[in-house]
Amino acid sequence: MEMRGVVEYVICELVRLLHGFGGVRWLKESTELTQRKIGIVGLGKTGRMIADALSFLGADVSYYSRTRKPEAEKVGIVYRPLEELLADVEIVCTCLPRNNYILGEKEFELMGNGKILVNTSVGQTFETEAICNWLRNCPDSFYLCDATGMGGLQDRLNGFPNVLYTPYISGKSIQSIERLSQKVLANMKDYLSSH
């Protein structure tokens, strides 16, 4: 299922943070997504949609995935090993399946201060203590997530001023429910016609 609402969430929250529209600004001056170095970790369907949208807005997009994506590389989305990507980009967007803990102390150390981590995955993509240490030690960094990205960590992350959390599910909308319903009906129709 296409997760267009998730793409909208990522663009919306990044624009708000980059320009300071929500009262919090990433850098001293407002900045656009144009020429910002953004890394997508996990280039499945949702990750690719986010990469395409960010590329359209002028961002310099690269990705890390367990498997290379030649079709993405053909349109200029550059593959990088994880450590290189984390060290080089300014914004990291994780788009991973549930229970893929890819970020630990070492990875957050590579990211350093002044970075943005956006989690579009269902649940955390990091070790809990590692992100707490990163948020505490890197006050100019931010973690952005919706209800699915927060998972059960709201109590642990609630006190950090650099956590921007929306308690809604970005992938749940009238349109996404309609698309899912149509897909279920089509699957039922296909099954019934083949039996």
Side-chain angles (χ1 to χ4, degrees), residues 111-173:
M111 287 172 61
N113 196 18
K115 302 280 182 93
I116 300 170
L117 172 62
V118 185
N119 183 13
T120 69
S121 306
V122 177
Q124 63 194 70
T125 56
F126 45 78
E127 296 169 1
T128 304
E129 287 307 314
I131 196 168
C132 289
N133 290 336
W134 179 67
L135 291 166
R136 189 178 302 109
N137 298 328
C138 299
D140 297 326
S141 292
F142 289 89
Y143 175 56
L144 284 62
C145 67
D146 69 353
T148 59
M150 180 62 78
L153 293 178
Q154 189 171 0
D155 289 342
R156 286 296 306 274
L157 300 181
N158 198 25
F160 289 100
N162 46 351
V163 172
L164 303 179
Y165 164 65
T166 182
Y168 303 103
I169 299 171
S170 61
K172 184 179 177 186
S173 64

Side-chain angles (χ1 to χ4, degrees), residues 77-120:
I77 302 170
V78 177
Y79 171 84
R80 291 186 171 182
L82 182 62
E83 291 183 2
E84 179 184 315
L85 181 136
L86 294 174
D88 187 52
V89 301
E90 301 162 300
I91 300 166
V92 176
C93 185
T94 54
C95 307
L96 300 167
R98 184 187 308 261
N99 298 326
N100 275 267
Y101 301 98
I102 198 162
L103 304 175
E105 291 290 348
K106 175 184 170 188
E107 289 76 20
F108 282 111
E109 190 175 307
L110 285 168
M111 287 172 61
N113 196 18
K115 302 280 182 93
I116 300 170
L117 172 62
V118 185
N119 183 13
T120 69

Side-chain angles (χ1 to χ4, degrees), residues 11-31:
I11 301 299
C12 172
E13 292 303 302
L14 285 176
V15 167
R16 285 171 52 84
L17 183 58
L18 268 58
H19 286 276
F21 295 153
V24 178
R25 187 180 301 141
W26 175 47
L27 301 175
K28 203 175 267 191
E29 299 293 328
S30 290
T31 183

Side-chain angles (χ1 to χ4, degrees), residues 1-11 14 38-56 59-67 69 71-73 75-78 85 91-97 118-122 125 170:
M1 181 173 67
E2 291 185 9
M3 300 301 284
R4 295 176 188 149
V6 176
V7 179
E8 290 178 349
Y9 164 76
V10 171
I11 301 299
L14 285 176
I38 303 177
I40 309 293
V41 178
L43 205 66
K45 193 167 211 171
T46 303
R48 176 62 193 268
M49 289 174 70
I50 292 168
D52 288 342
L54 291 167
S55 294
F56 176 78
D60 176 7
V61 181
S62 55
Y63 81 97
Y64 167 77
S65 183
R66 286 182 289 189
T67 58
K69 310 292 183 185
E71 67 284 351
E73 293 174 28
V75 297
I77 302 170
V78 177
L85 181 136
I91 300 166
V92 176
C93 185
T94 54
C95 307
L96 300 167
V118 185
N119 183 13
T120 69
S121 306
V122 177
T125 56
S170 61

